[in-house]
Amino acid sequence: MESYITPGLIISLIVVIIGIFIIAKGLVIIRQSEVMVIERLGSFNRGLESGVNIIIPFIERPRPITMIRYLRAGSDYQAMMTDETRIDRRETVMDFPGQPVVTTDNVTVSINGALYYQIIDPRRAVYEVANMSQAVEVLAKTTLRSVVGKMELDKLFESRAEVNNAIQAEMEEPASKWGVKLTRVEVQDISMPEEVEDAMRLQMAAERKRRATVTEAEGEKTAAIAKAQGQRESAILNAQGDKESAILRAQGEQESIRLVLSAIGDSEDNKQTVIGYLLGQSYIKVLPNMAKDGERVFVPYESSALLGSMGMFRELAGSPDDVVRQSLQRDGLRGGLVGGASNA
């Protein structure tokens, strides 16, 4: 039986197998948002973008990049270092462990931060720095110590956003040389010694008590001012009322005297008689109030003459009320007396 396996067939099979191996070895599929740095005989050749790419096996090979990632287990961090040939261009977060930092008022605190960065130039990230992720981490830690070391502890808690912006601004230039773009930096946790926490609690309680005292004092001050203003306005209104009342009484008495004099005549004796009568009425109104202050009442000497004038006035012309009423009736008017004489 004649054999069908010839040396030519064996060589052809070997060539086909080698070709399939070369094609499989040289065919590279890059996923979206990834890139691969290719070296040819040890020097940079090109970067492979997403899609199907072909490289020459044994002559071209990808250049790996060293990456450090932290795995968090509770409060502990475990660092993992890997060599990756596919460089991820997406935004990456680096959650590094807490670092002891001394503030300007000599308080040691532990700060845990998170760094968000993105590789925008893979060639620089591979060739410009030996370990890109470690360099970024160390830069973030040293910059954090530098920024926080210029601040006091109380200011640190109030200015986290300022700390984040300051760290990002200082890291921007050196990170750009490595082909890395810093998107943002976040200070997550700030831990301090227990005795410092106790002192801050006492300070907070004292500050709240002080604010309560100041608020209460300001309220009492405002109430006192409002009360004084009310009393002032009340006194002004009372004074204005007394003034207007006195003016009206004076106008009424003036009108009453005018009517009486027009009824009995405006001679000098009649004027003195009317004035003596009005003054006598005033004395009579004051006597009850004077009697309330004691058992004995001292009547001024002039009051006897005034009371005599009142009697004389009544004998001559009757009471001033009667005289005014007769005058009004004679003029065809109706109603009561006007002014202080009618009230007397």
Side-chain angles (χ1 to χ4, degrees), residues 4 30 34 46 75 87 96 122 152 161 169 202 216 218 226 231 238 291 307 331:
Y4 291 99
I30 307 298
E34 290 183 349
R46 66 187 185 277
S75 58
I87 302 175
F96 52 86
E152 295 183 354
L202 294 176
E216 183 178 0
E218 290 179 352
Q231 292 177 351
N238 291 333
L307 293 176
D331 294 337

Side-chain angles (χ1 to χ4, degrees), residues 96-115:
F96 52 86
Q99 302 297 312
V101 181
V102 180
T103 61
T104 187
D105 49 353
N106 296 325
V107 179
T108 302
V109 295
S110 178
I111 299 179
N112 179 22
L115 178 66

Side-chain angles (χ1 to χ4, degrees), residues 59-133:
I59 297 177
E60 297 178 348
R61 68 181 184 87
R63 175 68 180 265
I65 183 173
T66 303
M67 300 294 294
I68 297 179
R69 291 182 173 84
Y70 288 95
L71 297 179
R72 186 171 183 177
S75 58
D76 298 331
Y77 288 81
Q78 182 178 0
M80 295 183 61
M81 185 176 295
T82 58
D83 291 334
E84 302 176 0
T85 58
R86 299 173 182 268
I87 302 175
D88 196 344
R89 283 185 169 180
R90 294 176 298 177
E91 186 175 358
T92 305
V93 58
M94 179 184 293
D95 187 5
F96 52 86
Q99 302 297 312
V101 181
V102 180
T103 61
T104 187
D105 49 353
N106 296 325
V107 179
T108 302
V109 295
S110 178
I111 299 179
N112 179 22
L115 178 66
Y116 295 83
Y117 67 93
Q118 184 179 9
I119 299 176
I120 58 176
D121 192 343
R123 181 178 178 179
R124 287 188 177 183
V126 172
Y127 293 104
E128 296 294 335
V129 61
N131 191 325
M132 185 273 300
S133 59

Side-chain angles (χ1 to χ4, degrees), residues 215-260:
T215 303
E216 183 178 0
E218 290 179 352
E220 293 177 355
K221 175 184 176 182
T222 304
I225 292 174
K227 184 177 180 180
Q229 290 178 348
Q231 292 177 351
R232 175 176 173 272
E233 293 177 0
S234 177
I236 292 174
L237 293 176
N238 291 333
Q240 291 178 350
D242 293 340
K243 174 183 176 182
E244 294 177 358
S245 177
I247 292 174
L248 292 176
R249 284 195 301 269
Q251 291 176 351
E253 292 176 356
Q254 180 182 7
E255 183 66 19
S256 175
I257 293 173
R258 186 183 64 79
L259 292 175
V260 171

